[in-house]
Amino acid sequence: MTDTTVPSGDPTYRGIVYPWHCDHMGHMNVMWYVGKFDEATWTLMARVGLTAGYLRSAGRGMAAVEQQISYRRELLAGDAISIFSEFIEVKEKAVRFRHVMVCDSDGAIAAETTLTGVHIDTGLRKACSFDPAIKARFQLQEQ
């Protein structure tokens, strides 16, 4: 991950680092970065129609198959953060996307992650194609 730009648009997550998010080193533990990135993922997916309601009614799901995280600076209790997200690549059955976590007080990038998610048929537990209407919305988001 060498891209250090922050994606444009509205944030997909906003929150605070709470004291219980911090470890023995006094900074936010890595498990909380992953959790906050996951919350941003569901906001990003909802923007293209992959809402919880759609996934349940259509018998579909999304499964993460790869994730790379780069930690750039510490976050401490009380820090307000925002996550900005973008789609990088959309394929027939998979999507690659990126989240950038920013410390609101100074705009510095705290962490970024790139993920690959696969669209699955939850009954068959196999990858399946995105609905054409959803794939079209992905492409609109990529522009």
Side-chain angles (χ1 to χ4, degrees):
M1 284 184 288
T2 58
D3 189 353
T4 57
T5 61
V6 176
S8 61
D10 294 332
T12 49
Y13 176 87
R14 283 210 152 138
I16 301 292
V17 178
Y18 290 99
W20 58 86
H21 294 150
C22 298
D23 58 21
H24 68 283
M25 297 288 294
H27 57 218
M28 188 166 75
N29 185 271
V30 296
M31 70 184 256
W32 296 103
Y33 286 85
V34 173
K36 291 172 188 299
F37 283 138
D38 185 61
E39 289 186 53
T41 294
W42 291 111
T43 300
L44 182 64
M45 294 303 162
R47 288 180 180 172
V48 295
L50 290 171
T51 63
Y54 166 80
L55 294 170
R56 278 191 296 270
S57 68
R60 298 293 182 253
M62 291 297 296
V65 296
E66 184 177 1
Q67 181 171 11
Q68 296 177 314
I69 301 174
S70 177
Y71 302 98
R72 305 243 183 248
R73 70 170 269 191
E74 291 183 302
L75 289 171
L76 306 173
D79 283 341
I81 59 168
S82 297
I83 297 175
F84 297 87
S85 309
E86 65 185 345
F87 293 108
I88 299 169
E89 179 181 24
V90 179
K91 295 184 177 181
E92 181 184 346
K93 300 176 183 180
V95 61
R96 204 160 62 90
F97 53 99
R98 177 174 167 260
H99 299 302
V100 178
M101 184 181 292
V102 174
C103 186
D104 291 347
S105 64
D106 61 7
I109 295 174
E112 65 179 293
T113 186
T114 301
L115 296 103
T116 301
V118 175
H119 188 238
I120 62 168
D121 178 310
T122 57
L124 298 174
R125 307 306 265 189
K126 291 177 61 175
C128 63
S129 299
F130 287 109
D131 179 276
I134 288 180
K135 189 156 185 188
R137 287 188 213 123
F138 273 126
Q139 290 161 338
L140 288 173
Q141 291 286 317
E142 285 183 293
Q143 297 174 5

